[in-house]
Amino acid sequence: MNYKSTITACSTNTWRTFISNVQNSSTYPRMTYNTEMIGNLALLDAFHKLKDDWDGNDAPGFCDKAALIKFCKEVIINLGYQQPNIYPTSRGSIQLEYEKDNGEYLEFEIFEEERIIGFQICSNQEEINVEIRSIEELKKKVMAF
Amino acid sequence: MNYDHVEDHELLYRAVPKFPNYWNKDRNSVSSALFKDKNGVSVDRDGNRKEKVICKQLQNKISNSIAAISVKTNSVRSISALVLPKPSNANQYHAEIHDSETKILLSSSKAKRLSKMGKLIWFTVK
């Protein structure tokens, strides 16, 4: 999981403070936070600090994308125990990924203004692109995967 | 090196940063997110240089990088993506991968295929 790299990127104290903030936060709904979810929330906070040209190829930073980061956190919290691998892209979006050993693959690319583009590779290698209209719809896709 | 055309046999290199971590050790591949770039996927072509030299130059250019992904030009063309030479004053080896003649951004499908084709080369510590 990616949260390990966040732990590497953050000092131990930063990490402890983050967990404490999440556990005591009134921003997030009261619920059980699993380790992978906390890791992904920490990663999103780390992505939020990425400045312009963070990839060395003129990628836009995420410093001014508070609404996108907040929306992604909402998605992550709603996914409960089915946590994806998450990555920023050099086109200013956040990508969520699930992959099975048999090659089945499910991806969501989340852009500003809560726009979500889904992409799936099925077991028969058929590829499906679909616009996702809500977090509930995204969650249903993940549950069905 | 031909500045107007990237040859099929040439390798293309894209830097992999230390953070964010794009490497998925369970799948032994990078995430396709590494190939989603608003300006087209920025890569360095080999230009008949040795791999060691290419990696050193990439590492110097992108200080946060810890590895590079290499992919052969004809493999990129096999998924109907375009490889365009884009030399600049700062980097004569610069090239870009575009989705097609009319679209710069790679589709999710093509980005995923590229991520599976790539070979990871770890940089040696500076």
Side-chain angles (χ1 to χ4, degrees):
Chain A
M1 273 301 296
N2 273 335
Y3 62 82
K4 286 176 186 165
S5 61
T6 307
I7 295 169
T8 310
C10 302
S11 70
T12 310
N13 281 342
T14 310
W15 180 241
R16 280 188 188 134
T17 306
F18 176 81
I19 292 173
S20 169
N21 287 345
V22 166
Q23 285 170 342
N24 299 318
S25 171
S26 56
T27 310
Y28 303 122
R30 294 268 169 216
M31 61 176 291
T32 308
Y33 292 93
N34 61 69
T35 314
E36 291 189 349
M37 185 197 292
I38 289 175
N40 274 340
L41 292 171
L43 266 177
L44 286 168
D45 278 337
F47 296 167
H48 196 188
K49 290 177 185 159
L50 293 172
K51 295 175 183 162
D52 285 348
D53 196 33
W54 55 269
D55 69 343
N57 290 310
D58 293 329
F62 287 85
C63 301
D64 59 349
K65 295 189 192 305
L68 172 67
I69 297 294
K70 188 178 171 220
F71 181 68
C72 289
K73 284 182 177 178
E74 210 179 311
V75 172
I76 288 300
I77 289 169
N78 271 278
L79 287 169
Y81 282 94
Q82 291 184 292
Q83 289 296 306
N85 286 322
I86 63 171
Y87 310 92
T89 75
S90 298
R91 56 190 186 203
S93 59
I94 302 286
Q95 184 162 308
L96 280 55
E97 289 181 10
Y98 297 89
E99 191 158 9
K100 292 182 182 174
D101 291 338
N102 66 358
E104 281 183 79
Y105 175 74
L106 181 63
E107 166 193 304
F108 302 100
E109 193 172 351
I110 304 180
F111 296 86
E112 287 182 297
E113 298 173 354
E114 303 186 0
R115 196 163 69 90
I116 308 172
I117 305 293
F119 171 67
Q120 185 167 8
I121 303 174
C122 306
S123 54
N124 61 2
Q125 297 304 303
E126 183 195 355
E127 295 183 358
I128 301 167
N129 287 285
V130 62
E131 178 131 12
I132 307 288
R133 300 188 188 284
S134 66
I135 294 177
E136 288 70 34
E137 192 182 339
L138 182 151
K139 199 174 172 183
K140 273 184 194 165
K141 287 261 177 208
V142 172
M143 301 288 275
F145 181 65
Chain B
M1 184 172 77
N2 184 342
Y3 288 100
D4 299 321
H5 179 75
V6 182
E7 304 294 340
D8 270 349
H9 62 80
E10 283 190 68
L11 284 165
L12 306 169
Y13 295 80
R14 180 153 173 95
V16 180
K18 182 177 182 183
F19 184 84
N21 176 19
Y22 286 97
W23 182 248
N24 184 331
K25 65 177 170 49
D26 297 330
R27 302 277 161 236
N28 210 27
S29 66
V30 286
S31 163
S32 62
L34 184 67
F35 299 102
K36 293 186 173 177
D37 191 325
K38 70 179 168 61
N39 302 317
V41 185
S42 190
V43 291
D44 277 14
R45 53 195 289 201
D46 70 39
N48 300 319
R49 292 171 296 165
K50 288 188 173 165
E51 192 167 275
K52 218 175 180 178
V53 175
I54 297 164
C55 289
K56 189 84 186 164
Q57 287 177 354
L58 266 179
Q59 199 175 11
N60 287 338
K61 191 178 98 181
I62 302 172
S63 57
N64 177 34
S65 58
I66 51 165
I69 285 287
S70 75
V71 61
K72 226 174 181 179
T73 300
N74 61 359
S75 302
V76 179
R77 289 182 174 141
S78 74
I79 60 167
S80 304
L82 288 188
V83 181
L84 304 169
K86 296 273 182 179
S88 64
N89 288 338
N91 183 5
Q92 61 174 319
Y93 302 104
H94 185 245
E96 287 175 7
I97 301 172
H98 292 191
D99 188 274
S100 63
E101 295 276 2
T102 53
K103 193 177 154 212
I104 292 175
L105 300 183
L106 272 190
S107 67
S108 287
S109 171
K110 288 181 185 176
K112 182 63 184 164
R113 289 186 207 181
L114 266 189
S115 74
K116 285 183 176 173
M117 290 170 178
K119 178 188 152 204
L120 187 78
I121 305 145
W122 291 102
F123 292 161
T124 48
V125 181
K126 269 183 188 174

